[in-house]
Amino acid sequence: MTHQIEVIVKCPNCGKSLMNSSVQVDNLPSIELEAVIENKKGRIYLSQIYGSYNKVFEGVDDIPDAVVQCACPFCHDLLPIVKTCTCKAPVASVNLALGGSVNFCTRNGCKGHSLEFENSDDAFKLFLDRDESRYL
């Protein structure tokens, strides 16, 4: 049985939820971000399933290998860049609602991403909340 991890995230700058129930990706509320791709501004909606690369573009084109500049749709501040991916693009970060962060490569199509936790209890909580085997 495959278990999926659904992440709930918020802006690391203003603390507002980035979850959007109006636009669904993978049949779940999406993670909404402002996006600039090749000087064109719009929105990108990411799957909240960790490991899914499904996304929806609005007002910007889905250009393979383009580097996306990501910002919060509420405070409009750019997401922090925490490192450089192996593909040489910036890696942006959003906060997990329960503690920790999701880091993702800003190059469209790159699969570089990671979960980071400051407190190991937060990691266990995320995985336990999604472990359906405990109900068997």
Side-chain angles (χ1 to χ4, degrees), residues 67 83-91 105-107:
V67 174
K83 61 185 174 181
T84 301
C85 184
T86 56
C87 77
K88 307 292 186 228
V91 173
C105 181
T106 57
R107 185 177 307 283

Side-chain angles (χ1 to χ4, degrees), residues 7-22:
V7 295
I8 308 298
V9 297
K10 60 186 179 178
C11 175
N13 300 312
C14 70
K16 289 192 178 177
S17 174
L18 296 173
M19 306 311 297
N20 183 323
S21 58
S22 298

Side-chain angles (χ1 to χ4, degrees), residues 4-119:
Q4 63 188 30
I5 302 297
E6 298 166 15
V7 295
I8 308 298
V9 297
K10 60 186 179 178
C11 175
N13 300 312
C14 70
K16 289 192 178 177
S17 174
L18 296 173
M19 306 311 297
N20 183 323
S21 58
S22 298
V23 179
Q24 294 201 343
V25 178
D26 292 329
N27 297 314
L28 293 167
S30 62
I31 299 168
E32 179 181 1
L33 299 172
E34 284 185 343
V36 176
I37 301 174
E38 294 189 353
N39 296 318
K40 194 171 181 184
K41 189 173 182 180
R43 303 276 169 147
I44 187 169
Y45 301 90
L46 307 173
S47 175
Q48 70 165 283
I49 298 173
Y50 184 77
S52 170
Y53 301 101
N54 295 327
K55 53 194 164 267
V56 173
F57 293 82
E58 179 182 282
V60 290
D61 297 321
D62 181 0
I63 301 171
D65 296 323
V67 174
V68 181
Q69 190 176 43
C70 299
C72 173
F74 300 103
C75 69
H76 310 289
D77 286 343
L78 293 174
L79 297 180
I81 302 302
V82 294
K83 61 185 174 181
T84 301
C85 184
T86 56
C87 77
K88 307 292 186 228
V91 173
S93 183
V94 293
N95 288 351
L96 287 165
L98 62 79
S101 62
V102 177
N103 305 320
F104 60 94
C105 181
T106 57
R107 185 177 307 283
N108 190 14
C110 182
K111 296 186 178 188
H113 63 275
S114 64
L115 286 171
E116 292 185 13
F117 298 92
E118 292 178 17
N119 181 337

